[in-house]
Amino acid sequence: MADCETVAILDFGGQYTQLIARRVRENRVYCEIFAPAVPAAELSRRNLKGLILSGGPASVYEPGAPRCDPAIFDLGAPVLGICYGMQLACEVLGGEVSAAPAREYGRVRLRIREPSGILAHLPAETSVWMSHGDVVTRVADDFVAMAETDTCPIAAVRHRQRPVFGVQFHPEVTHTPLGGQIMRSFLMDVCGCRGDWRMEDVAARAVAEIQARVAPDERVICGLSGGVDSSVTAAIVQRAIGDRLVCIFVDNGLLRHQERELVRATFQDHFGMQLRVADAGRRFLAALAGVTDPQQKRLAIGREFIEAFRAEARSVPNARFLAQGTIYPDVIESGHGPSGHAATIKAHHNVGGLPSELGFELIEPLRLLFKDEVRSLGETLGLPRDLVWRHPFPGPGLAVRIMGEVTEPRLELLRAADAILLEELTAAGWYDKVAQAFAVLVPVSSVGVMGDGRSYEGQNLVVVRLVETTDFMTADWVHVDYEVLGLVSRRIINEVKGVNRVAYDVSSKPPATIEWQ
Ligand code: XMP
């Protein structure tokens, strides 16, 4: 992406940094998140159109607070400081920052004295979201205060000569209703971005990069999971090197109903990819025998996955590369940096990543994309809609959706219940409205009526979980129709032998997690 118009976001540790990036990209402007002290010289090698300094929890006057290279203000690219970013910009350029008499948090009225630059196209008063404990108490003579609130006289600033702006509030959050306009004004009017970043170009660049790295006699292995990220990765690599891509799909026996058939039909039959299926269900089940602790399950599955993958990969000749569907949030969470190649494995997923000891060089065409961008890229590449919009499925699969020991009969039962749930949600139009939907098996008997008597024998509880979320870090349970729940419950109880009770999970994250284990 080195040659495309780029806005650099310097991350001072704010909780909204990823959101800033999302807002920039919504304007079809490419941006990347950098470590706060990234040298100006490094940024100057890019086609830099602007800089955004994020918020952060520190105080600029504290020893050890993160700082930027002061030379970034001399690059000529416009700068927008947000919260901590504004305080830092003001301080570096001669102003003063100190603790506010009281922390300001929440929605406040902003009065605009100078409706120009980033504040152009706004009414004289608007509502903005604040979250700060420090304030800019004095600006250098070169600065003008553009807006104020009741408690914050310097709530937005601009430099008189240079294209440097700052806002004390957070334009990137939805609680600032006109924040989108402020971001747009900065990107389009101040930075002069064209807003022409397109998925077609992202695909073309990724393809060219892979072609440049992989020699004509070399092969690339791609671990397919059936999920969106690995599917889009495989599609890009195939576009780059055709049948020198070899996909490996590990059937760990912990998959959903007909998953293996779906992967085969899509990738082998439809896309004509070379697909090797490691039929490893039996060894995974053996490794899970007697294991009830969730983390032990994950560890056992992780170990088996690596072994099964390694065994299959060994038989692929001339395979120097491994293509992996690492996406941008994984890279950011595992320690960002412009050259952050340290983040080679999906770090927050302890299953599904492969260790570097396997000895492959990594190809990660999605490492700078957010999930919805990956989906849009998938559509650009012609992947089927159902695949592109699939809900995420955890690497350890149904094993973490069975409370207690994982056994074949329990897997069969859960698979059947889950298939009914997904079928009915899809038919009722709910599947696409939620972020994740699945069934959980709780092998605890509750009383049921069998014939004329009460019975506790061999009956299980199935819990249905539907969540809505944008980032999977927080999630709400879904207020789904009772009609749909009723139908799902009736069908599961009637059609799945061994289930006499269905419950709906009405807990949000936090404190509950999305998965039950
Ligand atoms: P939790 O349960 O932590 O889930 O709220 C957040 C998201 O992560 C998925 N998840 C996993 N994915 N390996 C994975 O690949 C795992 O061990 C794992 N645990 C949770 C979960 O399905 C949800 O989308």
Side-chain angles (χ1 to χ4, degrees):
M1 311 270 186
D3 54 337
C4 65
E5 289 191 336
T6 299
V7 167
I9 300 169
L10 272 49
D11 181 10
F12 293 94
Q15 53 178 329
Y16 302 130
T17 305
Q18 283 197 42
L19 210 49
I20 300 173
R22 302 301 343 276
R23 294 284 167 269
V24 173
R25 290 191 184 186
E26 273 165 22
N27 287 283
R28 297 172 63 146
V29 172
Y30 178 68
C31 64
E32 258 182 64
I33 298 176
F34 290 85
V38 56
E42 182 162 341
L43 295 175
S44 70
R45 286 196 286 274
R46 313 289 290 248
N47 180 4
L48 190 71
K49 298 299 286 183
L51 281 146
I52 299 180
L53 315 185
S54 85
S59 291
V60 296
Y61 46 80
E62 268 171 12
R67 305 198 62 88
C68 58
D69 176 353
I72 62 168
F73 295 102
D74 302 325
L75 286 171
V79 179
L80 171 63
I82 296 177
C83 197
Y84 181 89
M86 158 170 150
Q87 294 161 8
L88 184 67
C90 287
E91 197 239 31
V92 170
L93 298 174
E96 232 172 59
V97 176
S98 42
R103 195 179 158 71
E104 191 178 29
Y105 185 81
R107 254 198 197 112
V108 297
R109 296 298 292 168
L110 181 80
R111 288 186 297 278
I112 298 171
R113 287 203 224 128
E114 206 195 277
S116 65
I118 56 166
L119 301 185
H121 319 297
L122 296 185
E125 267 196 52
T126 181
S127 171
V128 296
W129 182 260
M130 287 284 195
S131 173
H132 64 116
D134 290 341
V135 282
V136 175
T137 39
R138 187 184 61 77
V139 286
D141 291 344
D142 289 331
F143 275 94
V144 183
M146 302 173 76
E148 63 187 10
T149 71
D150 283 345
T151 51
C152 181
I154 305 176
V157 294
R158 75 170 169 84
H159 196 279
R160 288 178 204 273
Q161 290 89 33
R162 305 183 198 194
V164 176
F165 293 86
V167 286
Q168 182 54 71
F169 56 89
H170 289 273
E172 70 276 24
V173 304
T174 50
H175 305 304
T176 299
L178 296 178
Q181 177 61 57
I182 297 173
M183 297 297 286
R184 224 173 2 262
S185 297
F186 176 68
L187 296 168
M188 304 303 168
D189 302 346
V190 177
C191 300
C193 294
R194 289 196 304 263
D196 56 1
W197 186 58
R198 297 176 323 145
M199 279 305 142
E200 286 81 358
D201 302 334
V202 174
R205 277 197 182 90
V207 165
E209 217 168 275
I210 295 167
Q211 287 169 337
R213 278 182 76 190
V214 183
D217 61 336
E218 289 177 326
R219 287 191 173 75
V220 175
I221 291 180
C222 177
L224 266 187
S225 72
V228 187
D229 304 343
S230 66
S231 302
V232 175
T233 302
I236 289 206
V237 179
Q238 188 194 31
R239 195 177 262 205
I241 59 163
D243 61 7
R244 284 182 291 129
L245 163 70
V246 180
C247 293
I248 294 180
F249 175 71
V250 176
D251 184 347
N252 58 11
L254 308 167
L255 304 171
R256 284 164 293 188
H257 181 61
Q258 298 214 313
E259 183 71 18
R260 189 206 283 215
E261 291 77 2
L262 179 81
V263 166
R264 216 190 263 287
T266 311
F267 294 95
Q268 188 169 292
D269 304 344
H270 181 74
F271 284 105
M273 292 183 191
Q274 278 197 59
L275 176 70
R276 303 201 178 178
V277 176
D279 187 4
R282 212 166 284 142
R283 62 187 283 177
F284 277 81
L285 260 189
L288 286 167
V291 181
T292 55
D293 176 76
Q295 292 315 329
Q296 291 306 322
K297 283 182 187 175
R298 283 187 168 81
L299 284 175
I301 293 166
R303 271 194 307 269
E304 292 305 318
F305 181 81
I306 290 162
E307 281 319 307
F309 192 91
R310 194 202 303 266
E312 206 58 55
R314 227 180 254 136
S315 64
V316 181
N318 274 3
R320 180 151 70 98
F321 299 94
L322 176 71
Q324 207 169 254
T326 313
I327 66 172
Y328 204 27
D330 305 335
V331 174
I332 297 168
E333 277 154 31
S334 37
H336 51 74
S339 55
H341 294 299
T344 49
I345 290 165
K346 287 193 138 193
H348 75 293
H349 288 169
N350 48 10
V351 172
L354 290 160
S356 50
E357 299 90 83
L358 286 189
F360 292 106
E361 282 178 43
L362 291 180
I363 290 182
E364 297 177 309
L366 314 180
R367 71 190 313 276
L368 295 172
L369 299 181
F370 288 106
K371 190 83 178 183
D372 56 337
E373 293 165 346
V374 172
R375 291 199 155 117
S376 153
L377 183 59
E379 285 183 334
T380 304
L381 293 166
L383 288 177
R385 206 192 162 279
D386 289 357
L387 189 74
V388 167
W389 290 98
R390 271 189 121 184
H391 295 172
F393 183 68
L398 300 180
V400 289
R401 294 178 177 172
I402 293 174
M403 301 301 101
E405 190 184 358
V406 180
T407 62
E408 190 53 54
R410 285 178 176 175
L411 281 166
E412 269 172 34
L413 193 157
L414 180 57
R415 230 176 249 133
D418 193 67
I420 292 172
L421 171 67
L422 297 187
E423 189 181 315
E424 291 304 336
L425 288 179
T426 306
W430 274 95
Y431 184 86
D432 286 340
K433 288 196 256 179
V434 306
Q436 215 171 347
F438 55 90
V440 177
L441 177 64
V442 186
V444 170
S445 296
S446 61
V447 67
V449 187
M450 295 281 266
D452 295 331
R454 291 161 72 80
S455 158
Y456 296 86
E457 278 304 296
Q459 295 297 334
N460 293 277
L461 166 67
V462 163
V463 176
V464 170
R465 180 113 168 105
L466 268 67
V467 294
E468 50 196 33
T469 171
T470 45
D471 57 8
F472 296 88
M473 315 277 268
T474 62
D476 284 327
W477 61 276
V478 173
H479 294 229
V480 68
D481 282 349
Y482 285 174
E483 290 299 314
V484 177
L485 277 184
L487 180 58
V488 167
S489 162
R490 265 198 314 281
R491 279 199 59 197
I492 292 179
I493 290 171
N494 286 338
E495 296 173 33
V496 184
K497 201 166 168 292
V499 180
N500 68 341
R501 211 171 276 269
V502 171
Y504 189 53
D505 184 344
V506 289
S507 13
S508 290
K509 172 183 180 176
T513 50
I514 294 174
E515 300 291 344
W516 269 46
Q517 288 200 325

